[in-house]
């Protein structure tokens, strides 16, 4: 029997809390791209506060927020499978639902990145789900072997890819899409990029597949299901993961903030190290929330608001991206070219707080996020299985 089916059915505070907080970290990471980050380098500091924020971003946010997001996505997939198995639904029906979910994620990602202009990760997760769906119905040992195999592949792919990107940047080529002057110009460029396999090619740049597989494995083991027996493992994951993440971020922090100079090959290697250790940073963040969750028996105040946000993560991920575009994009208010990192992050925090307020209001009215509701209707058509 699939190990997922053996777990109980409830809504876990730890997961909703992690998702809600994750939306802040992802928004901060994406704000940096509007404020002048080229991934390999940080925006120029205009004040001491900008310098502090630049270092905080490298050590705690960049390549770490996305890793936690991907892990939680993988974990959530196991909960969806569990809901089907507990209701004795055919595995074929579950697989059909998951593939439909993948294609609608790609569609929503297309709308967000091409038509709206946001920093999309939905389509990337959709393509990852197409590739790893079958593993949701295999043993945790098979998933663990897959994690090891994919990790070894990325140990080769990431350095080669990012060394090439570093050389491209040193030769004056932009490694991120340009800050287009006109909407139609941006839509055309993004459409071509998407249509030529952008969401698939992105997996050579971003190791989200490893984090998703880790989330699937953790979901099969029930590691974030607030069971006391998981506490020792989660403590070790939090301590070791965070330690490795911080140490691995140090070389890139020094280079990207212009404290040291490196040749292109070492720039690519340090960024690859930053990205690889960020996977463990994402694991550590998830583990921390896994430890916090069991201590919260009756969420209230800010914790209740953040869990409300986490329950509606798709709606407010897209909301955050739209607000970042409105405030920072060259085609709208263009604050990205006028603010430093500290002010930009402060404004992004305000965006997240408005999302928090809206989510709390929806929770008080017992209403779903509108985009979450639409997504479930498209995926499940008739009825949605209750998954945490």
């Amino acid at each position: 029997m699939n190990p997922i089916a053996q777990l109980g059915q409830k809504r876990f505070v730890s997961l909703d809390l992690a998702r809600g907080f994750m939306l802040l970290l992802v928004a901060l990471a994406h704000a940096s791209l509007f404020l002048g980050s080229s991934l390999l380098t940080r925006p120029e500091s205009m004040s001491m506060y900008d310098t502090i924020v630049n270092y905080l971003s490298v050590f705690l946010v960049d390549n770490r927020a996305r890793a936690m997001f991907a892990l939680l996505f993988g974990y959530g997939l196991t909960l969806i499978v569990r809901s089907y198995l507990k209701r004795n639904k055919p595995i074929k029906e579950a697989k059909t639902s998951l593939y439909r979910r993948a294609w609608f994620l790609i569609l929503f990602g297309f709308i967000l990145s091409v038509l709206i202009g946001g920093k999309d990760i939905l389509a990337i997760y959709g393509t990852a789900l197409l590739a790893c769906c079958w593993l949701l119905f295999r043993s945790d040992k098979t998933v663990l072997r897959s994690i090891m195999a994919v990790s070894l592949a990325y140990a080769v792919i990431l350095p080669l890819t990012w060394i090439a990107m570093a050389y491209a940047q040193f030769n004056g080529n932009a490694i991120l899409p340009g800050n287009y002057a006109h909407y139609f110009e941006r839509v055309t460029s993004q459409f071509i990029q998407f249509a030529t396999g952008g969401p698939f090619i992105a997996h050579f740049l971003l190791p989200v597949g490893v984090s998703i597989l880790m989330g699937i494995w953790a979901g099969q083991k029930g590691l974030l299901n607030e069971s006391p027996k998981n506490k020792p493992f989660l403590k070790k994951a939090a301590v070791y993961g965070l330690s490795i993440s911080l140490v691995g971020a140090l070389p890139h922090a020094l280079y990207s903030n212009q404290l040291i100079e490196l040749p292109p090959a070492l720039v690519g290697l340090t960024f690859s190290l930053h990205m690889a250790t960020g996977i463990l940073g994402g694991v550590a963040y998830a583990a921390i929330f896994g430890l916090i969750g069991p201590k919260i028996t009756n969420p209230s105040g800010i914790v209740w608001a953040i869990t409300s946000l986490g329950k509606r993560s798709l709606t407010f991920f897209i909301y955050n991206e739209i607000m970042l575009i409105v405030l920072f994009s060259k085609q709208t208010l263009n604050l990205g070219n006028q603010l430093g990192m500290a002010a930009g992050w402060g404004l992004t925090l305000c965006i997240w707080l408005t999302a928090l307020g809206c989510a709390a209001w929806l929770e008080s009215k017992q209403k779903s996020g509108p985009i979450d509701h639409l997504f479930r209707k498209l995926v499940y058509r008739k009825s949605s299985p209750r998954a945490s």
Side-chain angles (χ1 to χ4, degrees):
M1 185 178 185
N2 190 302
I4 296 172
Q6 299 172 3
L7 299 173
Q9 185 69 29
K10 60 172 288 190
R11 184 134 206 137
F12 302 111
V13 173
S14 56
L15 293 178
D16 288 330
L17 194 61
R19 290 177 184 130
F21 187 74
M22 167 205 68
L23 290 176
L24 172 61
L25 296 183
V26 171
L28 293 173
H30 288 180
S32 297
L33 301 177
F34 285 101
L35 294 164
S37 171
S38 71
L39 293 180
L40 295 177
T41 58
R42 299 298 307 163
E44 184 178 353
S45 295
M46 302 182 197
S47 68
M48 176 187 69
Y49 300 108
D50 290 340
T51 301
I52 292 171
V53 168
N54 270 325
Y55 277 100
L56 287 174
S57 186
V58 175
F59 279 108
L60 300 176
V61 177
D62 299 348
N63 292 322
R64 278 111 184 100
R66 181 182 58 248
M68 181 171 70
F69 200 167
L71 187 148
L72 294 174
F73 173 73
Y75 201 100
L77 294 175
T78 67
L79 301 180
I80 293 168
V81 173
R82 182 204 308 176
S83 69
Y84 277 97
L85 297 179
K86 283 187 67 65
R87 293 180 298 141
N88 296 318
K89 295 288 185 178
I91 288 179
K92 183 179 179 180
E93 183 178 334
K95 287 183 177 180
T96 300
S97 171
L98 289 166
Y99 283 124
R100 194 182 301 128
R101 171 178 290 265
W103 286 112
F104 276 115
L105 279 171
I106 293 171
L107 174 61
F108 277 47
F110 174 85
I111 294 170
L112 177 59
S113 64
V114 177
L115 302 183
I116 298 176
K119 308 299 181 184
D120 175 57
I121 49 180
L122 300 178
I124 298 173
Y125 291 171
T127 55
L129 177 54
L130 290 177
C132 71
C133 180
W134 64 280
L135 283 168
L136 287 160
F137 304 90
R138 300 300 176 91
S139 70
D140 58 292
K141 291 182 179 179
T142 301
V143 175
L144 189 58
R145 285 194 291 268
S146 299
I147 292 171
M148 295 172 64
V150 174
S151 298
L152 287 173
Y154 272 116
V156 176
I157 292 171
L158 285 182
L160 292 177
T161 301
W162 284 103
I163 287 172
M165 298 290 274
Y167 272 105
Q169 182 167 289
F170 271 65
N171 291 329
N173 299 312
I175 63 173
L176 288 175
N179 198 357
Y180 307 105
H182 303 290
Y183 174 77
F184 182 75
E185 179 187 359
R186 184 192 56 71
V187 168
T188 303
S189 176
Q190 291 293 94
F191 176 80
I192 293 172
Q193 183 182 13
F194 202 99
T196 53
F200 293 94
I201 295 170
H203 289 284
F204 290 93
L205 300 171
L206 309 172
V208 294
V210 178
S211 296
I212 291 173
L213 290 176
M214 285 182 169
I216 292 173
W217 179 81
Q220 290 181 332
K221 305 291 283 186
L223 294 178
L224 299 180
N225 290 0
E226 301 174 1
S227 170
K229 69 178 182 179
N230 295 327
K231 190 174 180 180
F233 178 87
L234 293 176
K235 281 185 176 180
K236 290 179 181 178
V239 172
Y240 292 130
L242 192 57
S243 299
I244 294 171
S245 176
L246 292 172
V247 172
L250 181 59
H252 180 60
L254 296 176
Y255 168 76
S256 63
N257 286 287
Q258 302 176 1
L259 281 184
I260 59 174
E261 293 185 3
L262 296 172
L266 286 181
V267 171
L269 286 174
T270 57
F271 189 72
S272 299
L273 177 65
H274 185 264
M275 191 170 280
T277 55
I279 295 172
L280 297 179
V283 170
Y285 291 167
I288 289 169
F289 285 105
L291 291 168
I292 293 172
K295 300 179 184 298
I296 303 171
T297 55
N298 187 24
S300 61
I302 186 67
V303 173
W304 171 79
I306 295 175
T307 57
S308 301
L309 186 62
K311 293 176 183 178
R312 300 160 178 84
S313 56
L314 179 59
T315 294
F316 289 104
F317 167 71
I318 293 176
Y319 166 82
N320 287 347
E321 292 300 309
I322 292 173
M323 292 305 298
L324 288 174
I325 294 166
V326 169
L327 294 173
F328 294 128
S329 174
K330 185 177 181 180
Q331 297 146 28
T332 49
L333 297 181
N334 196 27
L335 294 181
N337 287 333
Q338 302 172 41
L339 298 178
M341 275 296 298
W345 267 27
L347 200 52
T348 303
L349 176 61
C350 291
I351 293 172
W352 182 77
L353 289 173
T354 62
L356 199 66
C358 291
W361 179 80
L362 288 170
E363 181 73 8
S364 68
K365 301 295 182 181
Q366 296 186 331
K367 294 183 179 294
S368 301
I371 300 177
D372 296 84
H373 178 72
L374 172 62
F375 186 77
R376 282 194 293 269
K377 287 197 71 173
L378 291 170
V379 171
Y380 299 112
R381 296 182 180 178
K382 293 181 180 180
S383 62
S384 167
R386 292 187 59 84
S388 299

